């Protein structure tokens, strides 16, 4: 996976905890998802899930833990792999 030269961590995350997101492409197991073969389809293009965690990847990009309710998989996705599914408030209220 090639990251852009932009350091995404210089700004805030694009998605918030609880945001409903849609996957833009097939997400396959790269070997980091336990119990499934490498190449196994963890999410199909168009699958909808919710952001349940936000971490970092290689000190350059945000990695979003997305819970797909239909499969009950929690999969790490980059922002470029996701779109906001609907313009509605997140399931989890953010503290100000």
């Amino acid at each position: 996976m090639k990251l852009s030269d932009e350091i995404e961590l210089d700004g805030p995350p694009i998605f918030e905890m609880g945001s409903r997101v849609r996957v833009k492409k097939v997400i396959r197991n790269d070997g980091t998802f336990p119990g499934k073969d490498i190449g196994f389809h963890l999410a199909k293009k168009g699958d909808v899930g919710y952001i349940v965690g936000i971490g970092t990847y290689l000190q350059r990009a945000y990695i979003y833990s997305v819970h797909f309710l239909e499969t009950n998989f929690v999969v790490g996705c980059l922002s470029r792999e996701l779109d906001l599914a609907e313009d509605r408030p997140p399931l989890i209220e953010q503290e100000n």
Side-chain angles (χ1 to χ4, degrees), residues 5 7-8 14 18 23 48 51 53 57 77 85-87 93:
D5 291 334
I7 298 179
E8 188 179 349
I14 294 172
V23 178
V48 173
I51 304 291
Y57 179 70
C77 300
E86 289 182 13
D87 190 18
E93 291 296 322

Side-chain angles (χ1 to χ4, degrees), residues 35-50:
K36 299 294 180 189
D37 292 334
I38 292 175
F40 179 83
H41 289 197
L42 298 170
K44 306 181 305 286
K45 181 179 178 178
D47 281 356
V48 173
Y50 293 88

Side-chain angles (χ1 to χ4, degrees), residues 6-53:
E6 177 188 350
I7 298 179
E8 188 179 349
L9 299 182
D10 287 343
I14 294 172
F15 304 105
E16 297 178 16
M17 293 288 291
S19 293
R20 186 170 187 254
V21 293
R22 184 178 321 278
V23 178
K24 293 181 182 181
K25 65 178 205 150
V26 172
I27 305 295
R28 295 179 177 88
N29 184 12
D30 61 2
T32 59
F33 193 92
K36 299 294 180 189
D37 292 334
I38 292 175
F40 179 83
H41 289 197
L42 298 170
K44 306 181 305 286
K45 181 179 178 178
D47 281 356
V48 173
Y50 293 88
I51 304 291
V52 295

Side-chain angles (χ1 to χ4, degrees), residues 76-90:
C77 300
L78 296 168
S79 61
R80 68 177 183 219
E81 299 171 320
L82 302 170
D83 275 327
L84 198 57
E86 289 182 13
D87 190 18
R88 63 180 179 181

Side-chain angles (χ1 to χ4, degrees), residues 3 8-9 13 53-65 78:
L3 291 176
E8 188 179 349
L9 299 182
I54 302 172
T56 60
Y57 179 70
L58 297 177
Q59 299 178 344
R60 299 185 60 85
Y62 289 105
I63 190 88
Y64 298 91
S65 296
L78 296 168

